[in-house]
Amino acid sequence: MLNKSTVLYFSVVVGALLIAGCSTPPQPKAPPAPARRVAPAAPVAPKSTPAPAQPVAAPQEPAKPVPLTPEAEAVIDRFTHDGSGALQHELADNTGFPAALATLQPGAAAPGVDKPQNYSNMPPTSGLTADGMSAELVERDWSGVVLVPVIAQVSKAYTSGVRLTAIEAHPLKDGRVRIWTRVRNISGAPIAAEVACTFRMEKSSDMSIPRFYFLQVPAGEIRDVFFVSGAGELSNYTVLVRTSAR
């Protein structure tokens, strides 16, 4: 017969085994699942505020050309009317001297342009005033009116190698006149030429002293020069060209 101590021992052992059998070691936890990447939300464009309506500008009328000065009108009247005693001219819509546009008075109506062949090969245009001073195209004093002499006797050539192929008279705002002339070399060799323009004023029978402008004209090419009359009412002029003695 088991005594009490023995029974107590077996009870303790059995309880310990039951506890050991019922408890299980803790299992390792699984690593947390990676967080899902969420695509960033598309930026929301701010609502555009409509721009305020701009006032519509009224169309501007083209500027009216400046009127002719009384001095320029007097030149045109004198050179285009029979019985005035001046060298007769006719009005032209176009100019054959493109370089003349550099002298156009600000606001003046520009004429059309008839550009000659090989014009781009020409050197800068120069000229002389009535007193023989060299002149450049720096004065913007041309009225824009083109006058062309009616008769050919306005020019004289004293050489067979060159021709004066174009002449125009441009009334200036102060009553003077700028005479343009084109010299063409019709020979097969370069020519050294001299060109001049004599002026006769109203109520005078004397022509001014011819003052010659020297220029080289290559074979078959052209050169343009101009002359400016002196103060007073111009009545007549003559363009002269000759072979240079230089």
Side-chain angles (χ1 to χ4, degrees):
M1 186 171 181
L2 297 177
N3 56 21
K4 291 181 179 181
S5 60
T6 303
V7 173
L8 179 62
Y9 172 79
F10 278 103
S11 299
V12 171
V13 171
V14 172
L17 291 174
L18 291 174
I19 294 173
C22 295
S23 62
T24 58
Q27 298 295 324
K29 294 182 179 181
R36 296 178 61 187
R37 298 184 62 182
V38 179
V44 179
K47 293 183 178 181
S48 58
T49 303
Q54 298 294 329
V56 179
Q60 296 183 354
E61 295 183 0
K64 295 181 180 180
V66 296
L68 296 173
T69 63
E71 293 81 3
E73 287 184 338
V75 173
I76 299 169
D77 183 73
R78 189 165 60 250
F79 277 86
T80 57
H81 286 80
D82 293 334
S84 65
L87 183 67
Q88 289 299 294
H89 290 66
E90 59 185 2
L91 291 167
D93 295 329
N94 296 351
T95 177
F97 295 88
L101 295 180
T103 67
L104 193 66
Q105 181 184 351
V113 178
D114 292 329
K115 184 178 292 187
Q117 292 181 349
N118 301 326
Y119 189 79
S120 59
N121 297 329
M122 297 180 62
T125 304
S126 297
L128 294 175
T129 58
D131 55 6
M133 298 296 293
S134 179
E136 303 293 335
L137 291 176
V138 295
E139 295 292 334
R140 299 190 62 184
D141 51 6
W142 176 31
S143 62
V145 176
V146 180
L147 299 176
V148 179
V150 176
I151 58 175
Q153 284 81 354
V154 70
S155 62
K156 295 180 180 179
Y158 296 103
T159 176
S160 58
V162 295
R163 290 286 185 272
L164 294 170
T165 58
I167 296 177
E168 290 180 7
H170 292 180
L172 308 183
K173 63 181 181 180
D174 61 359
R176 294 180 300 157
V177 181
R178 184 178 284 112
I179 308 299
W180 287 84
T181 183
R182 175 165 297 127
V183 180
R184 180 179 294 277
N185 182 350
I186 61 174
S187 71
I191 287 181
E194 293 180 340
V195 188
C197 185
T198 58
F199 301 100
R200 190 180 73 195
M201 310 310 291
E202 188 78 13
K203 301 178 182 178
S204 175
S205 59
D206 298 330
M207 300 292 286
S208 62
I209 299 174
R211 304 179 187 277
F212 285 88
Y213 182 87
F214 174 81
L215 70 161
Q216 293 277 0
V217 187
E221 293 193 15
I222 59 177
R223 292 292 182 265
D224 289 353
V225 294
F226 64 86
F227 303 90
V228 182
S229 68
E233 298 179 354
L234 180 63
S235 176
N236 205 334
Y237 62 90
T238 301
V239 180
L240 309 170
V241 60
R242 68 187 183 187
T243 303
S244 176
R246 298 185 189 184

